[in-house]
Amino acid sequence: MSRRLSFYIHIPYCIKRCGYCDFNTYTPRELQGPDISTVSKNYIDAAICEIEQAAMRFGGAEVPSVFFGGGTPSLLPASELSRVLDAIRKHFNLSAEAEITIEANPDSVTSEFLQKMRQSGATRISIGMQSAVPHVLAALDRTHSPENIERAVTAVRSAGFEHCSVDLIYGVPNESMKDWQHTVNTALGLDIDHLSAYALIVEAGTRLSQRIKAGELAMPPEDETAEKYLYLDQACERAGMNWYELSNWSKPGSECRHNIAYWNGSMWWGIGPGAHSFIDGKRWWNIKHPMTYQELLSRNDSPIQDSESLSEENQRTEFLMLTIRMREGIGLNLLDEYQRLKASDFERTGHIDSEHWRAGKLVLTQTGRLIADRIVREMMV
């Protein structure tokens, strides 16, 4: 049986850095270039070279999913992203049923880009919506207007994409409960079949953290942020979108297969600067700067910066941390005696579903999802 290997393709470019973002992305100004086309020149050549290096180890492997993330993949020409898919097809078994996802900014995505990517085999577009409220988008330093979201979703469907997703962020400074309800209802009124939502994490060193420290913005109370999650979950259920992972909801059959590969411990290779890979219990990550990355690959050198081999204990811990996030839950037979004992405490408090528990499964309830990290910590002590 052929091995399965998913690919993540990192596109490390943005027109502007959002105030909350600490991802490994770069603007033309940060790379001392006039525009995206100049600073990204030859980048795809380097990415293809890394794909060829992957083929030296796993050539011919079945590729069930490819995910273009960033950064802003939709800033590059469709012809460049298509070259990446052509390289994967050349060296691996990328079937017609593979899921191919592209993250897109509503400001930069065009009908022409979408049509060309659909022709190249892309099946899924994930749009960075974040909010439908102008002052919330301003707090996040997002450049798009709420009106552009509907235009982008319409263009995605017109191009023939089967799956369209939007990403939301909640718990943003100055975001009221009414603001969040408007965002959720607006998102669910779009022609989408998948939604991701993440509580804002303020990362040290970002512009947002500096503004909060200076008193310009104030974070909302934690209880309100929890209420926003519960509101979203209930609204999604009414709209026919069920949770399948703590931060993801979809209509039946529209789950993101690529992200599920991360959560269930499948193998994946990250292409690009700063990208991480995980294969056979070993994790490695690439050098972060795109120019250094390109320089190394121009000589066909490895772009890997460092790696680690996970011990059996590390792998068991990660299995618990990731699997508990899934709607399918964890078989109690996969837990040790101590973990089952600690989990039983949360079953009694209503954080773990009693019906599933009696059937031999640990599945979080709605309130259990709110404290998933705490449950894992206590089970791993």
Side-chain angles (χ1 to χ4, degrees), residues 3 38 49 84 121 128-129 135 147 198 200 234 286 314 361:
R3 303 192 79 182
T38 301
C49 184
V84 172
M129 176 177 176
H135 74 259
E147 294 75 21
Y198 304 94
L200 177 66
Q234 293 159 5
N286 288 344
N314 291 149
K361 274 285 188 85

Side-chain angles (χ1 to χ4, degrees), residues 77-152:
S79 57
E80 290 291 272
L81 301 189
S82 296
R83 289 177 59 210
V84 172
L85 294 176
D86 289 341
I88 293 174
R89 288 190 181 96
K90 178 179 178 181
H91 297 286
F92 298 88
N93 178 19
L94 180 65
S95 72
E97 290 74 37
E99 177 189 83
I100 300 174
T101 304
I102 303 168
E103 289 186 337
N105 183 300
D107 280 348
S108 62
V109 69
T110 65
S111 294
E112 181 184 15
F113 173 89
L114 293 168
Q115 289 165 3
K116 288 184 177 179
M117 290 313 306
R118 184 69 193 98
Q119 291 166 6
S120 295
T123 62
R124 191 173 176 277
I125 298 292
S126 179
I127 298 172
M129 176 177 176
Q130 319 311 355
S131 176
V133 180
H135 74 259
V136 176
L137 291 171
L140 294 170
D141 284 326
R142 297 289 292 185
T143 59
H144 68 268
S145 67
E147 294 75 21
N148 278 354
I149 302 295
E150 184 173 4
R151 177 193 63 79

Side-chain angles (χ1 to χ4, degrees), residues 6-108:
S6 291
F7 277 99
Y8 169 78
I9 314 296
H10 188 58
I11 306 299
Y13 308 110
C14 287
I15 293 293
K16 176 187 176 184
R17 180 173 296 279
C18 298
Y20 63 93
C21 180
D22 74 335
F23 296 162
N24 189 47
T25 61
Y26 302 83
T27 65
R29 181 179 179 182
E30 291 168 344
L31 294 174
Q32 300 180 338
D35 51 37
I36 292 292
S37 62
T38 301
V39 299
S40 65
K41 185 180 180 181
N42 301 324
Y43 176 71
I44 294 301
D45 290 335
I48 290 173
C49 184
E50 189 181 357
I51 290 169
E52 292 169 348
Q53 291 182 358
M56 296 292 290
R57 292 179 58 185
F58 297 101
E62 180 183 351
V63 178
S65 66
V66 179
F67 193 106
F68 290 89
T72 313
S74 52
L75 287 175
L76 293 194
S79 57
E80 290 291 272
L81 301 189
S82 296
R83 289 177 59 210
V84 172
L85 294 176
D86 289 341
I88 293 174
R89 288 190 181 96
K90 178 179 178 181
H91 297 286
F92 298 88
N93 178 19
L94 180 65
S95 72
E97 290 74 37
E99 177 189 83
I100 300 174
T101 304
I102 303 168
E103 289 186 337
N105 183 300
D107 280 348
S108 62

